[in-house]
């Protein structure tokens, strides 16, 4: 039985832009710490707390997602989520690696345990009022790459949606 839940649309705050700076470093840091731990090395609590602070935003998002899945499981009477597909805008201030890490931790004791998490990243696009074109955006406050105009009105890339959920 497969169902689609087009829910959880949220415009996410610009404060999370700072997290994007750490993009690939979060996963590398977690992998390094896990490898060190597995070889008997001592990992300081400070290192794990640092990762936890970086992932706090994503952790609360995952808690919301899992809570919604739990509610739907009670309503629709399914036992398990096999997979979940999210759409996340590149300008949504969500760190995808941190979200994956947080989802794994939060889903552990829920209907979503062992669920495959698929994430489609949506590129940023905006409308330039100066030249009237729809342009690609890599940051929220970019100038128009075609004419240098400002402001460019964000039209796509700050969304977060549950696009598809497959359940048993």
């Amino acid at each position: 039985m497969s169902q689609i839940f087009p829910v959880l649309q949220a415009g996410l705050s610009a404060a999370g832009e700072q997290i994007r700076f750490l993009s690939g470093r979060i996963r590398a840091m977690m992998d390094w710490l896990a490898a060190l731990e597995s070889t008997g090395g001592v990992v300081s609590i400070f290192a794990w707390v640092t990762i936890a602070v970086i992932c706090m935003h994503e952790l609360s998002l995952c808690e919301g997602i899992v809570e919604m899945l739990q509610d739907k499981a009670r309503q629709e009477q399914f036992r398990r989520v096999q997979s979940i597909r999210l759409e996340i805008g590149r300008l949504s201030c969500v760190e995808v690696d941190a979200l994956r890490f947080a989802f794994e931790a939060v889903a552990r004791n829920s209907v979503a345990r062992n669920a495959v998490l698929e994430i489609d990243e949506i590129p940023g696009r905006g409308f330039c009022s100066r030249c009237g074109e729809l342009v690609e955006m890599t940051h929220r406050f970019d100038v128009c790459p075609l004419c240098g105009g400002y402001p460019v009105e964000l039209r796509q890339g700050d969304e977060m949606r549950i696009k598809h959920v497959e359940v048993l």
Side-chain angles (χ1 to χ4, degrees), residues 7-144:
V7 293
L8 191 66
Q9 261 182 308
L12 302 167
S13 81
E17 278 290 334
Q18 296 166 0
I19 293 171
R20 192 154 298 283
F21 170 74
L22 301 168
S23 186
R25 296 186 177 106
I26 293 171
R27 176 57 64 190
M29 194 176 189
M30 290 186 302
D31 291 345
W32 178 79
L33 289 173
L36 182 63
E37 216 172 35
S38 71
T39 61
V42 177
V43 177
S44 77
I45 191 67
F46 177 74
W48 287 113
V49 168
T50 301
I51 291 173
V53 168
I54 291 169
C55 297
M56 196 64 75
H57 178 242
E58 287 72 9
L59 185 65
S60 65
L61 291 172
C62 287
E63 286 172 341
I65 292 168
V66 169
E67 186 177 316
M68 288 172 46
L69 292 171
Q70 294 284 101
D71 290 345
K72 282 290 184 186
R74 281 189 291 280
Q75 292 169 9
E76 306 292 329
Q77 299 180 351
F78 58 84
R79 296 176 318 228
R80 192 166 80 90
V81 174
Q82 278 192 289
S83 67
I84 181 168
R85 178 181 296 275
L86 304 177
E87 282 185 341
I88 299 177
R90 289 191 183 136
L91 304 178
S92 66
C93 305
V94 174
E95 173 53 52
V96 172
D97 286 338
L99 189 77
R100 287 183 191 285
F101 178 76
F103 183 79
E104 188 176 312
V106 171
R108 196 169 283 153
N109 296 317
S110 74
V111 295
R113 72 183 157 279
N114 300 321
V116 175
L117 177 63
E118 300 169 17
I119 298 175
D120 297 330
E121 288 191 76
I122 308 300
R125 296 197 191 287
F127 178 76
C128 176
S129 57
R130 185 184 206 186
C131 69
E133 294 293 324
L134 192 62
V135 296
E136 183 101 8
M137 295 178 70
T138 55
H139 298 91
R140 282 185 172 271
F141 303 106
D142 279 352
V143 296
C144 176

